[in-house]
Protein backbone atom coordinates (compact mmCIF):
# COMPACT_ATOMS: atom_id res chain seq x y z
CA UNK A 1 0.00 0.00 0.00
CA UNK A 2 1.22 3.54 -0.72
CA UNK A 3 2.66 5.58 2.14
CA UNK A 4 -0.31 7.97 2.17
CA UNK A 5 -2.69 5.08 2.85
CA UNK A 6 -0.62 3.88 5.80
CA UNK A 7 -0.45 7.43 7.17
CA UNK A 8 -4.22 7.78 7.05
CA UNK A 9 -4.70 4.38 8.67
CA UNK A 10 -2.28 5.20 11.50
CA UNK A 11 -3.75 8.65 12.11
CA UNK A 12 -7.29 7.33 12.15
CA UNK A 13 -6.28 4.66 14.67
CA UNK A 14 -4.95 7.43 16.93
CA UNK A 15 -8.10 9.48 16.49
CA UNK A 16 -10.33 6.47 17.06
CA UNK A 17 -8.64 5.80 20.37
CA UNK A 18 -10.69 8.58 21.91
CA UNK A 19 -13.75 8.48 19.69
CA UNK A 20 -16.19 6.75 22.02
CA UNK A 21 -17.61 9.91 23.54
CA UNK A 22 -20.48 10.30 21.08
CA UNK A 23 -22.34 7.10 22.13
CA UNK A 24 -22.43 8.51 25.65
CA UNK A 25 -23.71 11.98 24.71
CA UNK A 26 -27.33 11.04 25.41
CA UNK A 27 -26.31 9.39 28.68
CA UNK A 28 -24.30 12.48 29.72
CA UNK A 29 -27.24 14.78 29.04
CA UNK A 30 -29.69 12.51 30.87
CA UNK A 31 -27.47 11.99 33.92
CA UNK A 32 -25.87 15.42 34.36
CA UNK A 33 -28.91 17.56 33.54
CA UNK A 34 -31.75 15.23 34.52
CA UNK A 35 -33.49 15.36 31.15
CA UNK A 36 -35.66 12.68 29.59
CA UNK A 37 -34.32 10.23 27.01
CA UNK A 38 -36.40 12.05 24.39
CA UNK A 39 -34.73 15.41 25.08
CA UNK A 40 -31.29 13.80 25.07
CA UNK A 41 -32.12 12.12 21.77
CA UNK A 42 -33.16 15.44 20.22
CA UNK A 43 -29.82 17.05 21.14
CA UNK A 44 -27.97 14.13 19.56
CA UNK A 45 -30.23 14.47 16.51
CA UNK A 46 -29.21 18.14 16.23
CA UNK A 47 -25.61 16.98 16.06
CA UNK A 48 -26.51 14.57 13.27
CA UNK A 49 -28.40 17.23 11.32
CA UNK A 50 -25.36 19.50 11.42
CA UNK A 51 -23.13 16.68 10.14
CA UNK A 52 -24.98 16.51 6.79
CA UNK A 53 -23.70 19.85 5.41
CA UNK A 54 -20.37 19.03 7.07
CA UNK A 55 -19.87 16.01 4.80
CA UNK A 56 -20.78 18.00 1.67
CA UNK A 57 -18.53 20.85 2.75
CA UNK A 58 -15.68 18.37 3.22
CA UNK A 59 -15.95 17.30 -0.41
CA UNK A 60 -16.07 20.91 -1.60
CA UNK A 61 -13.24 22.17 0.63
CA UNK A 62 -11.02 19.28 -0.45
CA UNK A 63 -11.12 20.77 -3.94
CA UNK A 64 -10.93 24.46 -2.96
CA UNK A 65 -8.54 24.43 0.01
CA UNK A 66 -6.83 21.09 -0.52
CA UNK A 67 -7.18 17.76 1.17
CA UNK A 68 -4.58 18.23 3.91
CA UNK A 69 -5.96 21.61 5.00
CA UNK A 70 -9.51 20.26 5.07
CA UNK A 71 -8.49 17.26 7.19
CA UNK A 72 -6.63 19.43 9.71
CA UNK A 73 -9.49 21.96 9.85
CA UNK A 74 -12.07 19.26 10.54
CA UNK A 75 -10.09 17.53 13.27
CA UNK A 76 -9.23 20.79 15.02
CA UNK A 77 -12.86 21.91 14.93
CA UNK A 78 -13.92 18.60 16.48
CA UNK A 79 -11.42 19.08 19.30
CA UNK A 80 -12.70 22.57 20.13
CA UNK A 81 -16.32 21.37 20.18
CA UNK A 82 -15.52 18.31 22.31
CA UNK A 83 -13.77 20.45 24.90
CA UNK A 84 -16.79 22.76 24.89
CA UNK A 85 -19.13 19.84 25.65
CA UNK A 86 -16.88 18.68 28.49
CA UNK A 87 -16.88 22.17 30.05
CA UNK A 88 -20.58 22.96 29.52
CA UNK A 89 -22.62 23.90 32.58
CA UNK A 90 -26.08 23.86 31.03
CA UNK A 91 -28.16 21.91 28.55
CA UNK A 92 -28.18 24.90 26.17
CA UNK A 93 -24.38 25.01 26.11
CA UNK A 94 -24.16 21.29 25.41
CA UNK A 95 -26.64 21.69 22.53
CA UNK A 96 -24.62 24.53 20.97
CA UNK A 97 -21.36 22.63 21.11
CA UNK A 98 -23.07 19.46 19.84
CA UNK A 99 -24.15 21.38 16.73
CA UNK A 100 -20.64 22.82 16.30
CA UNK A 101 -19.25 19.30 16.61
CA UNK A 102 -21.60 18.14 13.88
CA UNK A 103 -20.50 20.95 11.56
CA UNK A 104 -16.85 19.88 11.91
CA UNK A 105 -17.35 16.16 12.34
CA UNK A 106 -17.52 15.03 8.70
CA UNK A 107 -15.04 17.44 7.08
CA UNK A 108 -12.34 14.78 7.41
CA UNK A 109 -14.06 11.94 5.59
CA UNK A 110 -14.31 12.93 1.88
CA UNK A 111 -10.67 14.07 1.52
CA UNK A 112 -9.29 11.06 3.39
CA UNK A 113 -11.41 8.57 1.43
CA UNK A 114 -10.58 10.41 -1.79
CA UNK A 115 -6.87 10.16 -1.06
CA UNK A 116 -7.22 6.39 -0.74
CA UNK A 117 -9.29 6.09 -3.92
CA UNK A 118 -6.62 7.97 -5.91
CA UNK A 119 -3.66 6.24 -4.25
CA UNK A 120 -4.59 2.68 -5.26
CA UNK A 121 -6.04 1.02 -8.33
CA UNK A 122 -9.63 -0.27 -8.50
CA UNK A 123 -8.52 -3.86 -7.82
CA UNK A 124 -6.94 -2.85 -4.51
CA UNK A 125 -9.64 -0.51 -3.19
CA UNK A 126 -11.51 -3.16 -1.24
CA UNK A 127 -8.27 -4.11 0.51
CA UNK A 128 -7.33 -0.45 1.10
CA UNK A 129 -10.67 0.48 2.60
CA UNK A 130 -10.61 -2.74 4.59
CA UNK A 131 -7.22 -1.70 5.95
CA UNK A 132 -8.64 1.70 6.92
CA UNK A 133 -11.50 0.00 8.76
CA UNK A 134 -8.99 -2.31 10.48
CA UNK A 135 -7.04 0.73 11.63
CA UNK A 136 -10.23 2.19 13.04
CA UNK A 137 -10.88 -1.11 14.80
CA UNK A 138 -7.37 -1.19 16.32
CA UNK A 139 -7.96 2.23 17.81
CA UNK A 140 -11.46 1.21 18.80
CA UNK A 141 -10.20 -1.78 20.77
CA UNK A 142 -8.37 0.56 23.12
CA UNK A 143 -11.14 3.13 22.99
CA UNK A 144 -13.77 0.72 24.26
CA UNK A 145 -11.70 -0.14 27.31
CA UNK A 146 -10.95 3.54 27.82
CA UNK A 147 -14.65 4.36 27.67
CA UNK A 148 -15.47 1.57 30.13
CA UNK A 149 -12.85 2.88 32.59
CA UNK A 150 -13.40 6.63 32.27
CA UNK A 151 -17.16 6.29 31.89
CA UNK A 152 -17.39 4.85 35.42
CA UNK A 153 -15.40 7.81 36.74
CA UNK A 154 -16.78 10.76 34.77
CA UNK A 155 -18.41 10.74 31.33
CA UNK A 156 -17.03 14.21 30.60
CA UNK A 157 -13.51 12.77 30.61
CA UNK A 158 -14.42 10.88 27.43
CA UNK A 159 -14.92 14.15 25.57
CA UNK A 160 -11.60 15.53 26.81
CA UNK A 161 -9.73 12.43 25.66
CA UNK A 162 -11.53 12.58 22.31
CA UNK A 163 -10.45 16.20 21.85
CA UNK A 164 -6.82 15.38 22.61
CA UNK A 165 -6.73 12.53 20.10
CA UNK A 166 -8.29 14.79 17.44
CA UNK A 167 -5.51 17.33 17.97
CA UNK A 168 -2.83 14.62 17.91
CA UNK A 169 -4.28 13.21 14.68
CA UNK A 170 -4.44 16.68 13.09
CA UNK A 171 -0.79 17.38 13.95
CA UNK A 172 0.40 14.01 12.65
CA UNK A 173 -1.37 14.41 9.29
CA UNK A 174 -0.30 18.04 8.89
CA UNK A 175 3.33 16.96 9.24
CA UNK A 176 3.12 13.75 7.24
CA UNK A 177 0.77 14.32 4.29
CA UNK A 178 2.03 16.09 1.16
CA UNK A 179 1.38 19.82 1.11
CA UNK A 180 -1.63 21.05 -0.82
CA UNK A 181 -0.93 22.86 -4.06
CA UNK A 182 -1.76 26.52 -3.52
CA UNK A 183 -4.36 27.88 -5.88
CA UNK A 184 -4.95 24.56 -7.64
CA UNK A 185 -7.67 21.96 -7.27
CA UNK A 186 -6.75 19.12 -4.97
CA UNK A 187 -7.68 16.61 -7.66
CA UNK A 188 -6.83 17.02 -11.34
CA UNK A 189 -9.28 15.75 -13.87
CA UNK A 190 -8.01 14.12 -17.00
CA UNK A 191 -8.72 15.50 -20.42
CA UNK A 192 -12.22 14.71 -21.58
CA UNK A 193 -13.32 13.44 -18.16
CA UNK A 194 -17.00 13.85 -17.51
CA UNK A 195 -17.90 16.15 -14.59
CA UNK A 196 -18.84 14.54 -11.29
CA UNK A 197 -22.61 14.82 -10.81
CA UNK A 198 -23.32 12.29 -8.09
CA UNK A 199 -26.93 13.28 -7.45
CA UNK A 200 -27.81 12.54 -11.09
CA UNK A 201 -26.41 9.00 -10.89
CA UNK A 202 -29.14 6.38 -10.42
CA UNK A 203 -26.66 3.74 -9.34
CA UNK A 204 -25.30 6.02 -6.61
CA UNK A 205 -28.85 6.76 -5.47
CA UNK A 206 -29.43 3.03 -5.01
CA UNK A 207 -26.23 2.62 -3.00
CA UNK A 208 -27.05 5.79 -1.06
CA UNK A 209 -30.57 4.66 -0.09
CA UNK A 210 -29.48 1.24 1.14
CA UNK A 211 -26.40 2.80 2.75
CA UNK A 212 -28.57 5.22 4.72
CA UNK A 213 -30.52 2.34 6.24
CA UNK A 214 -27.30 0.45 6.97
CA UNK A 215 -25.90 3.56 8.69
CA UNK A 216 -29.12 3.85 10.71
CA UNK A 217 -28.65 0.27 11.91
CA UNK A 218 -24.99 0.87 12.81
CA UNK A 219 -25.73 4.06 14.72
CA UNK A 220 -28.72 2.56 16.52
CA UNK A 221 -26.27 -0.02 17.84
CA UNK A 222 -23.96 2.75 19.01
CA UNK A 223 -26.71 4.90 20.50
CA UNK A 224 -29.00 2.16 21.79
CA UNK A 225 -26.60 -0.27 23.43
CA UNK A 226 -25.72 1.84 26.52
CA UNK A 227 -29.41 2.50 27.18
CA UNK A 228 -30.32 -1.15 26.55
CA UNK A 229 -27.71 -2.34 29.01
CA UNK A 230 -29.07 0.03 31.65
CA UNK A 231 -32.61 -1.29 31.11
CA UNK A 232 -31.42 -4.87 31.59
CA UNK A 233 -29.63 -4.18 34.85
CA UNK A 234 -26.10 -3.74 33.53
CA UNK A 235 -23.76 -0.75 33.62
CA UNK A 236 -24.13 1.63 30.61
CA UNK A 237 -20.32 1.94 30.60
CA UNK A 238 -20.17 -1.81 29.83
CA UNK A 239 -21.02 -0.77 26.28
CA UNK A 240 -17.31 0.07 26.05
CA UNK A 241 -16.55 -3.63 26.49
CA UNK A 242 -18.96 -4.46 23.67
CA UNK A 243 -17.43 -1.83 21.38
CA UNK A 244 -14.02 -3.33 22.13
CA UNK A 245 -15.32 -6.80 21.22
CA UNK A 246 -16.59 -5.39 17.92
CA UNK A 247 -13.23 -3.75 17.23
CA UNK A 248 -11.26 -6.91 18.00
CA UNK A 249 -13.59 -8.85 15.70
CA UNK A 250 -12.94 -6.41 12.86
CA UNK A 251 -9.17 -6.77 13.24
CA UNK A 252 -9.20 -10.53 13.61
CA UNK A 253 -11.48 -10.98 10.60
CA UNK A 254 -9.27 -9.02 8.16
CA UNK A 255 -7.19 -12.07 7.04
CA UNK A 256 -10.41 -13.98 6.34
CA UNK A 257 -11.38 -11.35 3.77
CA UNK A 258 -8.58 -12.71 1.56
CA UNK A 259 -9.88 -16.27 1.63
CA UNK A 260 -10.83 -17.35 -1.93
CA UNK A 261 -14.52 -17.83 -1.25
CA UNK A 262 -14.93 -14.41 0.37
CA UNK A 263 -12.53 -12.43 -1.81
CA UNK A 264 -14.12 -13.66 -5.03
CA UNK A 265 -17.71 -12.94 -4.01
CA UNK A 266 -19.45 -10.35 -6.13
CA UNK A 267 -20.13 -7.02 -4.43
CA UNK A 268 -23.91 -7.67 -4.12
CA UNK A 269 -23.31 -11.13 -2.62
CA UNK A 270 -20.74 -9.83 -0.11
CA UNK A 271 -22.99 -6.94 0.91
CA UNK A 272 -25.97 -9.28 1.30
CA UNK A 273 -23.95 -11.67 3.46
CA UNK A 274 -22.83 -8.77 5.66
CA UNK A 275 -26.43 -7.70 6.24
CA UNK A 276 -27.50 -11.26 7.13
CA UNK A 277 -24.74 -11.49 9.76
CA UNK A 278 -25.87 -8.14 11.15
CA UNK A 279 -29.43 -9.45 11.39
CA UNK A 280 -28.25 -12.48 13.36
CA UNK A 281 -26.33 -10.30 15.80
CA UNK A 282 -29.24 -7.90 16.28
CA UNK A 283 -31.52 -10.84 16.97
CA UNK A 284 -29.04 -11.78 19.67
CA UNK A 285 -29.41 -8.33 21.25
CA UNK A 286 -33.17 -8.82 21.37
CA UNK A 287 -32.77 -12.01 23.42
CA UNK A 288 -29.69 -11.16 25.53
CA UNK A 289 -29.83 -10.49 29.25
CA UNK A 290 -26.23 -10.98 30.43
CA UNK A 291 -22.97 -9.43 29.27
CA UNK A 292 -21.54 -12.65 27.72
CA UNK A 293 -24.61 -12.99 25.48
CA UNK A 294 -24.28 -9.36 24.43
CA UNK A 295 -20.62 -9.99 23.56
CA UNK A 296 -21.53 -12.94 21.32
CA UNK A 297 -24.18 -10.89 19.50
CA UNK A 298 -21.68 -8.04 19.09
CA UNK A 299 -19.19 -10.38 17.40
CA UNK A 300 -21.80 -11.28 14.77
CA UNK A 301 -22.63 -7.61 14.20
CA UNK A 302 -18.92 -6.84 13.87
CA UNK A 303 -18.48 -9.50 11.19
CA UNK A 304 -21.38 -8.07 9.22
CA UNK A 305 -20.09 -4.51 9.40
CA UNK A 306 -16.62 -5.57 8.22
CA UNK A 307 -18.08 -7.13 5.08
CA UNK A 308 -20.31 -4.16 4.28
CA UNK A 309 -17.84 -1.34 4.98
CA UNK A 310 -14.99 -2.98 3.10
CA UNK A 311 -17.07 -3.18 -0.07
CA UNK A 312 -19.39 -0.19 -0.13
CA UNK A 313 -16.74 2.56 -0.32
CA UNK A 314 -15.00 0.69 -3.12
CA UNK A 315 -18.33 0.47 -4.98
CA UNK A 316 -18.93 4.23 -4.60
CA UNK A 317 -15.40 5.15 -5.68
CA UNK A 318 -15.79 2.87 -8.70
CA UNK A 319 -18.92 4.75 -9.79
CA UNK A 320 -17.14 8.13 -9.79
CA UNK A 321 -15.64 9.59 -12.98
CA UNK A 322 -11.88 10.31 -13.04
CA UNK A 323 -11.14 12.99 -10.44
CA UNK A 324 -14.65 12.80 -8.99
CA UNK A 325 -14.09 10.48 -6.03
CA UNK A 326 -14.27 13.29 -3.44
CA UNK A 327 -17.70 14.40 -4.66
CA UNK A 328 -19.14 10.89 -4.90
CA UNK A 329 -17.81 9.85 -1.51
CA UNK A 330 -19.09 13.09 0.03
CA UNK A 331 -22.54 12.55 -1.47
CA UNK A 332 -22.69 8.95 -0.28
CA UNK A 333 -21.38 9.97 3.12
CA UNK A 334 -24.40 12.18 3.81
CA UNK A 335 -26.21 8.90 4.43
CA UNK A 336 -24.37 8.77 7.76
CA UNK A 337 -25.45 12.31 8.57
CA UNK A 338 -29.09 11.46 7.91
CA UNK A 339 -28.76 8.34 10.04
CA UNK A 340 -27.09 10.35 12.81
CA UNK A 341 -30.17 12.58 12.90
CA UNK A 342 -32.59 9.67 12.92
CA UNK A 343 -30.83 7.11 15.13
CA UNK A 344 -31.00 8.99 18.47
CA UNK A 345 -34.71 9.61 17.93
CA UNK A 346 -35.66 6.14 16.64
CA UNK A 347 -33.62 4.30 19.25
CA UNK A 348 -34.81 6.35 22.25
CA UNK A 349 -38.44 6.40 21.11
CA UNK A 350 -38.47 2.66 20.43
CA UNK A 351 -36.88 1.95 23.80
CA UNK A 352 -39.37 4.16 25.64
CA UNK A 353 -42.54 2.98 23.89
CA UNK A 354 -41.77 -0.55 22.64
CA UNK A 355 -38.88 -1.83 24.71
CA UNK A 356 -35.43 -3.17 23.90
CA UNK A 357 -36.61 -6.50 22.51
CA UNK A 358 -38.87 -4.88 19.91
CA UNK A 359 -36.18 -2.36 18.91
CA UNK A 360 -33.56 -4.98 18.11
CA UNK A 361 -35.99 -7.46 16.55
CA UNK A 362 -37.29 -4.79 14.16
CA UNK A 363 -33.75 -3.71 13.30
CA UNK A 364 -32.82 -7.32 12.54
CA UNK A 365 -35.78 -7.56 10.17
CA UNK A 366 -34.62 -4.39 8.40
CA UNK A 367 -31.19 -5.94 7.83
CA UNK A 368 -32.73 -9.04 6.25
CA UNK A 369 -34.69 -6.78 3.90
CA UNK A 370 -31.49 -4.90 3.02
CA UNK A 371 -29.77 -8.20 2.17
CA UNK A 372 -32.46 -8.87 -0.44
CA UNK A 373 -32.20 -5.30 -1.77
CA UNK A 374 -28.47 -5.74 -2.46
CA UNK A 375 -29.15 -8.74 -4.70
CA UNK A 376 -32.33 -7.55 -6.42
CA UNK A 377 -31.90 -3.77 -6.78
CA UNK A 378 -28.47 -2.35 -5.95
CA UNK A 379 -26.41 -5.04 -7.67
CA UNK A 380 -28.16 -4.80 -11.06
CA UNK A 381 -28.01 -0.98 -11.10
CA UNK A 382 -24.31 -0.87 -10.23
CA UNK A 383 -23.54 -3.74 -12.62
CA UNK A 384 -25.21 -1.87 -15.48
CA UNK A 385 -22.56 0.84 -15.13
CA UNK A 386 -19.70 -1.64 -15.60
CA UNK A 387 -18.54 -3.25 -18.84
CA UNK A 388 -20.61 -6.35 -19.56
CA UNK A 389 -22.81 -5.73 -16.53
CA UNK A 390 -20.13 -7.09 -14.16
CA UNK A 391 -21.46 -6.73 -10.58
CA UNK A 392 -17.91 -6.25 -9.30
CA UNK A 393 -15.75 -8.41 -7.09
CA UNK A 394 -13.18 -8.04 -4.41
CA UNK A 395 -9.49 -8.22 -5.25
CA UNK A 396 -9.08 -11.91 -6.18
CA UNK A 397 -6.13 -13.59 -4.45
CA UNK A 398 -3.74 -15.69 -6.47
CA UNK A 399 -4.79 -19.26 -6.93
CA UNK A 400 -8.55 -18.68 -7.13
CA UNK A 401 -9.79 -20.88 -9.92
CA UNK A 402 -11.69 -19.34 -12.80
CA UNK A 403 -14.66 -21.77 -12.65
CA UNK A 404 -15.24 -20.91 -8.96
CA UNK A 405 -15.14 -17.22 -9.79
CA UNK A 406 -17.74 -17.69 -12.51
CA UNK A 407 -19.86 -19.80 -10.18
CA UNK A 408 -20.23 -16.96 -7.70
Amino acid sequence: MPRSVWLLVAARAINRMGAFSLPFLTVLISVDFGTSATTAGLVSAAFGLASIPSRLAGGRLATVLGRRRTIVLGLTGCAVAQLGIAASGSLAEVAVFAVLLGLAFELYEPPSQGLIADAVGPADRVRAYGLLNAGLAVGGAGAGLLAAALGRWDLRRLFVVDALTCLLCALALHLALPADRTGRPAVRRGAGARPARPWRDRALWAVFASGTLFALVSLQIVMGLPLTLARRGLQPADAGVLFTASAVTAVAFQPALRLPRLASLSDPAALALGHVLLALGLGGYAASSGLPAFVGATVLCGLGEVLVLGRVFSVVAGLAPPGGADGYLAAYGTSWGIATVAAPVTSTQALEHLGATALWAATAGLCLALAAVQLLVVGPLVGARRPGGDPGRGSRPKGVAGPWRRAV
Side-chain angles (χ1 to χ4, degrees), residues 13 26 64 79 82-83 116 131 193-194 219 224 242 271 288 293 302 333 372 382:
T26 54
V64 176
Q82 295 275 20
L83 291 174
I116 291 177
L131 183 62
R194 62 185 177 88
L219 291 176
L242 301 182
L271 291 171
S288 297
V382 173

Side-chain angles (χ1 to χ4, degrees), residues 54-72:
S54 173
R55 174 78 68 149
L56 296 173
R60 178 62 178 163
L61 291 174
T63 300
V64 176
L65 296 180
R67 286 170 167 166
R68 189 179 74 169
R69 292 190 186 97
T70 302
I71 288 172
V72 171

